[in-house]
Every structure is written in structure tokens, then in C-alpha cells.
Amino acid sequence: MSASPPAPPRTVICVGDIHGFVAKLESLWSNLEAALPADAFATALVIFLGDYNDRGPHTRGVLDFLLALPERHPGQRHVFLCGNHDLAFAAFVGVLPPPPDGSPFSATWDEYIHNEEHEGWFRGPGYEGMHVQGRRWGGAIKERWNPKKGLPYKGSIYDAQPTFESYGVAHGSPDLAKAVPEEHKRFLHDLVWIHEEENVPIDTDEGQIMCNLIAVHAGLERSIDLNEQLRVLRTRDTRVPKVAMLSGRQDVWNTPKDLSGKHTIVVSGHHGKLHIDGLRFIIDEGGGYEDKPIAAIVFPSKTLIRSTETEGTTSQN
């Protein structure tokens, strides 16, 4: 008897930032299911790149959708990365993993305390034991206009008001911790800061190659020691006031020097744009804007799939 052919490599799907837009997420998921062969979709590794909350109106619905996936698609593997918005949400509702050295979360305030007044950090019940990003998230920014986005702020520097309201409480209310269901808190607590996968195939002009894949919300810093970055990410080191690999902008755009020349895919969301340069992939077409789609990329083919639902229109394909 002839040997059976090797199993085709597993399809890997990386989904960009969702930001509370559940209709777009549902549309994207339907489009992925329609675009892929049934067996490839049914057994795919699906990596969500983070930022499930804020800006859009349905954070609660997004988390319900994601939590239902393992039961709906038992043959898939689902990885939920932590974005900077998710870390801040987790910090506010008290489910961020504690610092590994036992230090208090208040030790994270010092570096950014000069911004407290301007950003209107949260000072309600429980603030004394809260990570700086939770205080920023649940605070009330004094300025109404975000010049970088060309939109009004929604409650805080993180645009967190729609998240509070999706759970039926006013922005900045400490009652959010009671309103968020236990399974949502567990989801936020369990989010990983990095996912590393070996033997991911990718199609190139020279044919298919096998790569290691690193998925992290914003990217890896180009100039900082890679091993130290990986330590912070793998251990979820919440002593760090602001984790550049989850929230940075310029310094995390390119692949670190230590990985250049190695077959390593680095894939992120966070940046509000699509950017593909060799093995560096930034997949965040939506950016939390109402009129932009959520995008996903499928390996090995590097096919981009988008949501068509833009809160009431279907003009985007």
C-alpha cells in the first residue's frame, strides 16, 4: 500500500482589532467561513490579535461571541492575545495578574504621574490598588477632542465609555466590576501577551517556506534585548507601567535585529492600518473606526479577508 500523503499544514488565521464592533466580527467570521475550504476552516488555528473592547458599542457582545467559539468550532484552536485596551479593562475590574514580585500596582503610577491631572485618572473606590493603565482607562479626560484621531474622546484616553455602557453602567463607575460576568473576567485574566507557533507555512515568490510565528499586539521593539521582551511577555510582567510590545507605536514597527535573517513571522494589530513587509504583518484595518472594516489574514496564502459590515452599510469588501 502506498503511504498516505502528509496532512496539509494547518491553516492559521490572524484577526485584527475588534474594538466592540460585534456586527463586523460576525460578518468577518462568516466571510472567513465562506472563503476557506470547510476542512481548513474547521481545523484552523485562529489568533485574535487583541483590543476587543472600547470605541465600538458592543464590547459585551464581542466577548460573548469569542467565548462561544470553542463550543461552536471544537476542531479549531483559539488564541486570545491581550491588547493595550484589554490590559487596561482587566486592570480596572481587578483581574490583571498580580506583579510577579508581589509589588503593589500603585508602583506603576510614578512614571506617568505627571499626566494624572490632564488625563483625569480614576480616583474612585479601589483606585489605590489599581494599575496605572486601569486608572487611565476608567478616568475622565478633560479635553473633548482627540486630535490624533480627529474624533471626540469617548470618556477616557482609551475611549472606554462604550465598554462601560455595554455592561449597563455609566463611564467611570466602580460598579463595572460587579456588572461584568465572571466568565468575561476570566477571559480578561487569561489573555496571553504573546503567542509563539512553530512550523507555520507561508507562500512566497520562491515557494512555500516554514516559519516560526510570533503574534503580539503591537509588535516587538527593534532596539531592546529580545530575550528581555520575551520574558516580560511570556510571564505577563504587570510591574511594567506601559508595555511597549502591547502599546508602542514607532519602536515596534519593524522586526527586531535578533530575528532578521531568521524565518520568523511577526504579526500584530494595534496600529490602525494594514502593513505587510516581508515577514512583518500589521493587521488592523479597523482601528476602532465605525466606517472601517475588521481585517484578518490567512496563512499560508496571505489572503486578506475583511468584514463587510460597517454598522449599517456593506460598501466595503
Side-chain angles (χ1 to χ4, degrees):
M1 284 184 57
S2 61
S4 57
R10 176 175 231 172
T11 297
V12 178
I13 302 167
C14 297
V15 178
D17 300 26
I18 299 163
H19 279 302
F21 287 104
V22 75
K24 293 186 202 179
L25 175 58
E26 289 163 348
S27 171
L28 173 69
W29 195 257
S30 299
N31 292 348
L32 283 165
E33 197 160 5
L36 291 170
D39 56 340
F41 183 75
T43 60
L45 165 61
V46 189
I47 302 171
F48 292 88
L49 297 170
D51 280 2
Y52 311 109
N53 52 286
D54 302 341
R55 302 197 177 130
H58 300 119
T59 290
R60 182 176 190 148
V62 167
L63 266 57
D64 283 338
F65 181 98
L66 298 175
L67 282 161
L69 286 177
E71 198 172 315
R72 281 177 60 196
H73 302 280
Q76 291 180 345
R77 246 174 88 211
H78 305 101
V79 171
F80 302 107
L81 285 177
C82 187
N84 55 317
H85 286 255
D86 315 306
L87 184 148
F89 181 11
F92 188 85
V93 297
V95 296
L96 201 61
D101 64 351
S103 61
F105 279 132
S106 55
T108 62
W109 301 354
D110 293 356
E111 197 176 332
Y112 294 97
I113 202 80
H114 57 283
N115 292 332
E116 180 177 11
E117 185 64 27
H118 158 66
E119 293 178 353
W121 291 4
F122 178 76
R123 290 191 66 91
Y127 87 91
E128 302 91 344
M130 194 178 284
H131 191 281
V132 62
Q133 299 305 333
R135 295 193 63 198
R136 295 177 80 218
W137 186 81
I141 180 125
K142 298 203 168 39
E143 284 167 37
R144 298 312 309 144
W145 192 253
N146 181 344
K148 280 192 193 139
K149 283 201 159 309
L151 291 169
Y153 282 111
K154 295 179 178 177
S156 72
I157 196 96
Y158 275 99
D159 297 321
Q161 183 174 335
T163 300
F164 282 83
E165 291 174 352
S166 79
Y167 290 97
V169 300
H171 175 73
S173 168
D175 292 340
L176 182 66
K178 293 194 214 90
V180 173
E182 285 307 313
E183 61 268 28
H184 289 203
K185 289 181 183 169
R186 204 159 36 245
F187 176 86
L188 292 167
H189 173 273
D190 291 346
L191 294 173
V192 296
W193 290 13
I194 185 171
H195 180 72
E196 298 162 272
E197 189 75 23
E198 294 182 343
N199 298 320
V200 173
I202 184 169
D203 295 339
T204 72
D205 295 340
E206 288 79 49
Q208 194 171 91
I209 59 171
M210 297 303 273
C211 294
N212 292 332
L213 179 145
I214 296 175
V216 57
H217 179 63
L220 295 168
E221 291 197 85
R222 186 142 175 83
S223 47
I224 305 237
D225 178 65
L226 179 64
N227 287 326
E228 172 58 14
Q229 293 184 68
L230 294 175
R231 183 200 65 75
V232 167
L233 293 166
R234 288 166 180 160
T235 63
R236 303 190 297 171
D237 190 344
T238 53
R239 289 175 300 184
V240 180
K242 191 173 184 188
V243 182
M245 297 78 81
L246 306 188
S247 60
R249 293 288 173 192
Q250 292 79 22
D251 49 344
V252 292
W253 191 257
N254 297 307
T255 299
K257 295 192 285 270
D258 299 1
L259 292 174
S260 57
K262 296 179 180 157
H263 282 171
T264 303
I265 300 164
V266 179
V267 62
S268 306
H270 183 61
H271 294 278
K273 51 187 60 133
L274 287 175
H275 170 79
I276 298 173
D277 179 17
L279 297 179
R280 179 70 176 109
F281 295 85
I282 293 170
I283 310 296
D284 175 26
E285 197 166 18
Y289 289 94
E290 271 180 48
D291 58 345
K292 293 185 180 176
I294 302 175
I297 192 163
V298 181
F299 296 112
S301 64
K302 298 185 288 192
T303 304
L304 283 164
I305 308 286
R306 297 177 171 86
S307 63
T308 49
E309 176 64 58
T310 51
E311 300 304 295
T313 71
T314 51
S315 58
Q316 247 139 344
N317 292 307

